[in-house]
């Protein structure tokens, strides 16, 4: 079992920044990749960024490239999502996810690629 807890969401003005954290616990050694997704009301869960756990490989959704940065601190068992130049369209609940199986393909961008999820943290960007 792997447990994930997100934090760092909140209300920010357009053009501002937030850093989300996802702290992991449990069978951390079984994690292959960690991803961030978001879900706005009435929309499907959408891939944002992914990072491999053992080698430093990352990938991003086109809509956030250059604005969002995913990183990890293995010593703290934590993955981060630095979000800059936030826009109203970024308003959503943000979820982190972990995959404990070798991904069939890189990057794993679909929710079904992940088998553990956090509870989500709300990000609201006011215009």
């Amino acid at each position: 079992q792997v447990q994930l807890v997100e934090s760092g969401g909140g209300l920010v003005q357009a053009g501002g920044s937030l850093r989300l954290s996802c702290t992991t616990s449990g069978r951390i050694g079984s994690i292959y990749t960690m991803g961030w997704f978001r879900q706005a009301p009435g929309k499907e869960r959408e891939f944002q960024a992914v990072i491999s756990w053992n080698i430093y490989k990352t990938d991003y959704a086109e809509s956030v490239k250059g604005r969002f940065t995913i990183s990890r601190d293995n010593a703290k068992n934590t993955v981060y999502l630095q979000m800059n130049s936030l826009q109203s369209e970024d308003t959503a609940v943000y979820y982190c996810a972990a995959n404990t199986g070798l991904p069939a393909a890189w990057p794993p961008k679909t929710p079904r690629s992940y088998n553990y999820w956090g509870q989500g943290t709300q990000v609201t960007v006011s215009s």
Side-chain angles (χ1 to χ4, degrees), residues 2-110:
V2 174
Q3 292 79 43
L4 308 174
V5 178
E6 302 99 333
S7 61
L11 175 64
V12 63
Q13 289 189 331
S17 299
L18 281 175
R19 188 177 80 158
L20 306 182
S21 299
C22 176
T23 301
T24 64
S25 60
R27 295 185 60 192
I28 298 169
S30 63
I31 296 174
Y32 277 88
T33 56
M34 295 283 296
W36 283 98
F37 288 74
R38 70 185 182 191
Q39 190 166 19
K43 294 190 176 181
E44 293 185 351
R45 197 162 293 191
E46 179 185 32
F47 168 78
Q48 299 300 293
V50 61
I51 188 166
S52 59
W53 194 250
N54 294 315
I55 59 174
Y56 216 92
K57 188 163 62 171
T58 61
D59 202 79
Y60 298 90
E62 285 298 323
S63 61
V64 304
K65 279 183 180 177
R67 297 193 300 126
F68 290 9
T69 302
I70 189 170
S71 62
R72 57 173 167 76
D73 184 336
N74 285 25
K76 296 183 178 180
N77 298 325
T78 300
V79 173
Y80 304 98
L81 187 67
Q82 177 67 42
M83 306 186 295
N84 299 328
S85 302
L86 284 163
Q87 306 159 7
S88 57
E89 307 88 85
D90 297 315
T91 295
V93 177
Y94 283 71
Y95 298 90
C96 70
N99 170 25
T100 58
L102 188 64
W106 177 268
K109 291 186 175 182
T110 61

